[in-house]
């Protein structure tokens, strides 16, 4: 391993000094816990990440999972790493105590995830998917279903998946073609036979645990053999790979997708019910499939943001240590100097390091801030819930999009070496390239932000955000006055952009430019939190530098992104497709 | 049989150590601290003895600053039954010397009636490699150092030691002090559920004064300095030049 994939000191600064998570110990859910406990948990995650996960990361890229005799073989080091992670019980962190977990704050769990994902994002995604899966079952399942499907995942003897997409259905889940035919009723509730093909199923097959619990989105047939069209007809089913009586269920991995990165997690084409029909049990009620999945989306999307932030960190730290050691060229003002200078002496390399630092810290700040909102809203804080709703599409997409910009610079700093597979940065970039795609593409997030969270919003989310930004600006120290000015200007531009979108009185037309709004709003939020972080008493010179860089070089882009929104551009809405 | 395991809070092995500007020692303020890795191996071995039914109780002891509580919590989370913290310093920079540590441990061993002490062979901060041996002398117990294998056979401990040139197996009479080496075992992680459960295990707090031991330093640190930084390399045009340069430096 070339370097430390993560900077623990900065993580601690964010958690304990900036977010003051010690105050979360006062919430009823975390009674009796304290900072010392959470530090011990973070230390555990830190060690497991460095000692068990990180060493398997490279091998997982070179030895892709294999489908042999119907079984998906995960790269052995990765298999062992996931096992160690589960044995350490890290997947139980945020599970409530009365449901078999430890009731730690979600913010702490998010921080453990950040360290794990920086070390080996593909290994970390097995438990991450499983945590989301068992949470669905615990929230919406019956006691018998929880015992059969969630408990083994919590015990580490099963892992879970989310089977939503199909070969022809990605972002438009209403068109799902998998069918579920009623097949009686037993202890586990209404039973069905499922038939259909699922696509892009991460960890759909693996040889880490015997049991795999698939959560499958399908359409239940009515007595007349028909299904309800659109997303209202979707239901959710728990389909175990091994049935309660020990027989193998009619679920098969029929192929593996060969990915650009993130290769340690097998990505599967799944056939449900090719023979007798896959047995599955209804979770919740018929037609509730999509609303159930949406309940889980907030945290899944924070998870994506954290992965992207973690990889931005890793690229930044990797290219920083390279730039400090690598000597090349002379300083611009001393061209005849006898010896070459470290890369860090060149202003353009410094720019790229600073940009990565701002993106990495900004991304992590956004994700952890949102994680804290999850904890606060769970304790009944309505403002936190409102703000979380507005921020979620940004939490998912800003680190994903900007993390790639950061990784691009990490490669650039390495020059030709960065383009070879002898250095880590190319894998970091390839791994990270998934993040703008899964759990709702950037385009979907833009529509969510400008549509549901701004144009059709009744919760006052935007006003709350604007107010919080002003509070940070009002309270910033004098030495950050330049950042305050830049943030206020960006805030104003955002306000005007949203007003222009409202003013169109035509949501469909306005949403054509939704991604522009998402980019702009993401930058405003990042600028806000970087200033808020840099204003923290214990923040160092580095945090102030990142904030200044972001204010001078990045925040001016907000107005540029919003130009087509303010101009009410209909270019993409009305163009002639044949001319594309 | 009660097994006593002394554990020391030291600078984390992953942390890049910085010498204080006045050369008086290493900067430990706001630095990540962990259990001495050799002590972790000792804790693991003690837990395995308990799991095998050879030991009845595992007691972890730490001597130093109050923050060593965290280190003891780690030992408890790994599986130790209870812990004793002997506060002997206020300042994280004060290292309690081996003799004082051994004297306190001797008192704790007597008080607890322990039958075996499993200790790390040395702490990675000062590398003294002395406490176990001193404790053995103070108690008049057998000692077996640098253990890479340990078996308790009735009244004896059979210990394989890592020595220059290979392995040596010795048989010592119990009670004994065994100091452990790197290859004895691979310590388990204290799992998250066990970290939280460890909060409920007993942790007694004492002071050096409670045992009547004077911990004031007998040694004086004259100077602490960073290792010399690596010098820049030089590319030579051919083998002859290389040989000439090596001769010039007296290397060959």
């Amino acid at each position: 391993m070339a370097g430390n994939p993560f900077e623990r000191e900065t993580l601690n600064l964010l958690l304990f000094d900036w977010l003051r998570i010690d105050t979360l110990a006062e919430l009823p859910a975390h009674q009796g816990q304290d900072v010392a406990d959470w530090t011990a948990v973070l230390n555990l995650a830190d060690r497991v990440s460095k000692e068990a996960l990180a060493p398997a990361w490279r091998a997982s890229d070179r030895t892709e999972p294999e489908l042999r005799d119907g079984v998906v073989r995960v790269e052995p080091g990765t298999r062992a790493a996931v096992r160690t992670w589960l044995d350490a019980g890290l997947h139980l962190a945020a599970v409530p105590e009365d449901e078999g977990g430890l009731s730690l704050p979600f913010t702490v769990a998010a921080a453990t995830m950040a360290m794990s994902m920086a070390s080996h994002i593909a290994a970390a995604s097995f438990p991450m998917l499983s945590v989301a899966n068992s949470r669905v079952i615990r929230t919406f399942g019956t006691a018998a279903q929880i015992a059969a499907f969630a408990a083994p995942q919590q015990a580490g003897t099963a892992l879970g998946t989310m089977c939503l997409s199909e070969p022809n259905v990605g972002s438009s889940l209403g068109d799902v073609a998998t069918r579920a035919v009623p097949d009686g009723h037993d202890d586990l509730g209404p039973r069905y036979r499922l038939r259909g093909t699922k696509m892009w199923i991460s960890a759909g097959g693996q040889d880490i645990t015997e049991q795999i619990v698939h959560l499958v989105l399908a359409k239940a047939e009515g007595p007349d053999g028909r299904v309800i069209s659109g997303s209202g007809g979707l239901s959710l089913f728990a389909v175990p790979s091994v049935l309660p009586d020990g027989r193998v269920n009619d679920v098969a991995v029929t192929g593996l997708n060969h990915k650009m990165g993130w290769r340690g997690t097998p990505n599967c084409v799944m056939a449900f019910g090719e023979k007798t029909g896959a047995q599955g049990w209804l979770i919740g009620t018929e037609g509730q499939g999509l609303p159930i999945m949406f309940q889980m989306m907030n945290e899944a999307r924070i998870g994506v943001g954290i992965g992207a932030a973690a990889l931005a960190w890793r690229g930044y730290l990797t290219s920083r240590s390279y730039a400090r050691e690598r000597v090349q060229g002379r300083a611009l003002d001393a061209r005849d100097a006898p010896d070459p200078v470290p890369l860090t002496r060149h202003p353009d390399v410094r720019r790229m390091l600073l940009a990565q630092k701002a993106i990495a810290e900004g991304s992590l700040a956004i994700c952890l801030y949102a994680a804290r909102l999850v904890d606060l809203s769970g304790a009944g804080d309505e403002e936190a819930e409102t703000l979380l709703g507005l921020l979620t599409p940004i939490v998912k997409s800003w680190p994903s999009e900007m993390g790639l910009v950061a990784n691009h610079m990490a490669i650039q700093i390495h020059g030709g070496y960065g383009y070879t597979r002898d250095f880590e940065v190319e894998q970091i970039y390839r791994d990270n390239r998934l993040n703008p795609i899964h759990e709702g593409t950037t385009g979907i997030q833009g529509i969510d932000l400008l549509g549901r969270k701004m144009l059709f919003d009744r919760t006052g989310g935007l006003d709350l955000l604007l107010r919080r930004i002003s509070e940070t600006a009002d309270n910033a120290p004098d030495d950050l006055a330049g950042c305050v000015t830049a943030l206020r200007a960006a805030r104003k531009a955002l306000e005007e952009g949203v007003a222009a979108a409202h003013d169109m009185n035509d949501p469909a037309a306005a949403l054509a430019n939704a991604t522009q709004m998402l980019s702009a709003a993401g930058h405003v939020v990042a600028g806000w939190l970087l200033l808020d972080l840099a204003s923290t008493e214990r923040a160092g010179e580095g945090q102030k530098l990142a904030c200044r860089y972001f204010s001078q070089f990045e925040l001016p882009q907000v107005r540029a992104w919003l130009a087509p929104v303010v101009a009410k551009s209909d270019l993409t809405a009305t163009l002639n497709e044949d001319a594309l | 049989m009660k097994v006593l395991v002394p554990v020391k809070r030291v600078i984390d092995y992953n942390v890049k150590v910085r010498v204080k500007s006045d050369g008086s020692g290493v900067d430990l303020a706001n630095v990540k601290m962990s259990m001495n890795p050799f002590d972790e191996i000792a804790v693991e071995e003690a837990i395995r003895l308990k799991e095998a039914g050879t030991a009845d109780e595992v007691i972890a002891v730490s001597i130093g600053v109050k923050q060593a509580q965290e280190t003891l919590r780690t030992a408890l989370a790994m599986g130790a039954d209870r812990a004793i913290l002997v506060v002997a310093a206020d300042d994280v920079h004060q290292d309690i010397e081996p003799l004082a540590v051994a004297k306190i441990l001797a008192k704790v061993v007597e008080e607890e009636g322990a039958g075996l002490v499993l200790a790390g062979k040395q702490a990675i901060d000062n590398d003294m490699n002395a406490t176990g041996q001193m404790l053995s002398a103070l108690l008049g117990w057998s000692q077996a150092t640098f253990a890479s294998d340990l078996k308790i056979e009735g009244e004896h401990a059979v210990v394989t030691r890592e020595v220059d040139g290979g392995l040596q197996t010795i048989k010592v009479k119990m009670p004994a002090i065994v100091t452990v080496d790197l290859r004895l075992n691979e310590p388990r992680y204290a799992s998250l559920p066990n970290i939280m459960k460890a909060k409920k295990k007993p942790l007694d707090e004492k002071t050096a004064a409670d045992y009547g031991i004077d911990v004031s330093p007998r040694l004086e640190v004259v100077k602490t300095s960073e290792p010399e930084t690596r010098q820049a390399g030089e590319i030579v045009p051919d083998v002859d030049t290389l040989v000439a340069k090596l001769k010039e430096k007296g290397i060959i």
Side-chain angles (χ1 to χ4, degrees), chain A residues 140-217:
Chain A
F140 298 98
T142 62
Q145 289 174 338
I146 292 169
F149 304 128
Q153 296 191 63
Q154 291 183 194
T157 54
L159 284 166
T161 73
M162 296 283 185
C163 304
L164 277 59
S165 302
E166 297 181 355
N168 294 314
V169 183
S171 298
S172 58
L173 291 169
D175 298 327
V176 154
T178 300
R179 297 281 187 113
V181 181
D183 180 39
H185 196 285
D186 58 28
D187 298 351
L188 295 175
R191 193 178 60 228
Y192 294 73
R193 295 269 171 179
L194 278 78
R195 289 185 178 82
T197 306
K198 289 289 175 180
M199 184 63 164
W200 311 122
I201 308 309
S202 288
Q206 37 87 358
D207 54 354
I208 303 167
T209 55
E210 292 267 320
Q211 174 70 293
I212 305 175
V213 179
H214 303 286
L215 277 179
V216 184
L217 211 51

